[in-house]
Amino acid sequence: RRVEGAYPIEVQPLVNDLNSLLEHRERTVRRALAKAGDLAHGLKTPLAVLAQEADRADAAGQHEMAATIGQQVEKMRRQIEFHLAHARAAGSGNMPGARCPVLPSVEGLTRTLLRIYAARGLAIQVDVPPGDVIRGQQEDLEEMLGNLLDNACKWAKSRVKIQSTQEDGAVVMTVDDDGSGLAASMRDLVLQRGVRADEAAPGSGLGLAIVRDLVELYEGTFSLEDSPMGGLRARLRLPK
């Protein structure tokens, strides 16, 4: 984030300029993210009002109008969620000097998801060495892993597993489930924005697209494969 150290007098002006540039960039990113957050909060209240009006219309017997309003409100919410995540990632992605351990994020996400899916009795196995660290922001890592783990929990029959290994200057994380899997012909399709493998499943269809975009910003790779557990494997490779 800064160039530290003692330098010859001929080099110090360049170091000062570089630090000024880094500080300016950080301030610019913070302002942009604050404005994005303000925009999101400003839109949430009108959307909540519209959702309430849809409920009232439905209660009054205007079912078709209520369904139309509800669908449009949900679409707007999905777009806000996607673009906020993307804007934050674009601002922080691959920031020099940022390092994030994988295990604390995985443990926090696992605790949350076990509470959310408690009624289904899912088991989530964690096999992540404490020394695995990626080059990036914790919020971005949790955005990626959170989407992948949540997706696995939605489709799993009883078990989900997340593990990580170090490989050629990168950390490879895999999320497996024992669900019904996904046909190879569908895997590229579901990575497109707003597309879901099953329209009846909960979710916006933007989660995997968010993961894909974040991975690209971090110059990593992301793929969907057959899982040895019988369901789907999401494979994430990020620089360390």
Side-chain angles (χ1 to χ4, degrees):
R1 294 177 180 271
R2 283 184 60 84
V3 181
E4 304 287 358
Y7 297 92
I9 191 170
E10 297 87 355
V11 179
Q12 192 62 48
L14 175 60
V15 172
N16 295 341
D17 287 345
L18 283 171
N19 283 330
S20 295
L21 180 62
L22 289 168
E23 291 167 6
H24 173 72
R25 180 188 183 277
E26 189 173 351
R27 287 195 301 270
T28 301
V29 169
R30 283 202 302 265
R31 284 197 299 268
L33 295 178
K35 288 181 179 179
D38 291 343
L39 175 62
H41 287 297
L43 289 172
K44 283 179 181 177
T45 299
L47 287 176
V49 172
L50 286 173
Q52 290 175 352
E53 291 301 318
D55 291 341
R56 290 176 185 171
D58 190 53
Q62 298 173 304
H63 305 302
E64 185 176 345
M65 183 178 73
T68 300
I69 295 174
Q71 289 169 2
Q72 297 307 311
V73 167
E74 182 59 25
K75 284 182 180 179
M76 286 186 277
R77 282 177 175 161
R78 293 175 186 177
Q79 292 302 318
I80 290 171
E81 172 190 334
F82 178 82
H83 288 292
L84 274 178
H86 195 274
R88 179 175 51 75
S92 63
N94 214 7
M95 183 177 287
R99 293 292 184 273
C100 173
V102 177
L103 184 57
S105 294
V106 170
E107 290 176 333
L109 290 167
T110 300
R111 285 193 297 269
T112 299
L113 288 166
L114 285 174
R115 287 196 296 268
I116 292 172
Y117 293 98
R120 292 178 51 201
L122 291 178
I124 302 178
Q125 180 183 350
V126 175
D127 183 11
V128 177
D132 284 1
V133 177
I134 67 151
R135 184 173 72 241
Q137 302 286 329
Q138 180 181 7
E139 296 86 353
D140 295 336
L141 177 64
E142 292 180 357
E143 185 81 49
M144 289 182 273
L145 293 181
N147 276 300
L148 297 180
L149 283 166
D150 185 49
N151 194 63
C153 289
K154 285 173 184 173
W155 296 104
K157 294 175 183 176
S158 61
R159 293 189 302 129
V160 171
K161 180 179 180 180
I162 177 168
Q163 58 185 339
S164 73
T165 57
Q166 298 190 37
E167 177 185 293
D168 297 330
V171 173
V172 176
M173 292 157 278
T174 56
V175 178
D176 293 279
D177 66 71
D178 64 349
S180 56
L182 183 66
S185 59
M186 287 289 295
R187 291 172 191 169
D188 288 338
L189 182 63
V190 297
L191 294 180
Q192 296 176 19
R193 186 180 306 175
V195 176
R196 297 207 310 268
D198 182 348
E199 289 297 324
S204 65
L206 294 173
L208 293 178
I210 290 173
V211 175
R212 178 204 63 205
D213 286 359
L214 281 167
V215 169
E216 289 177 357
L217 287 167
Y218 277 99
E219 299 178 354
T221 60
F222 173 45
S223 61
L224 299 176
E225 307 166 358
D226 291 326
S227 169
M229 291 170 57
L232 187 68
R233 163 172 284 183
R235 186 178 188 274
L236 197 62
R237 187 179 191 274
L238 296 173
K240 66 177 183 177

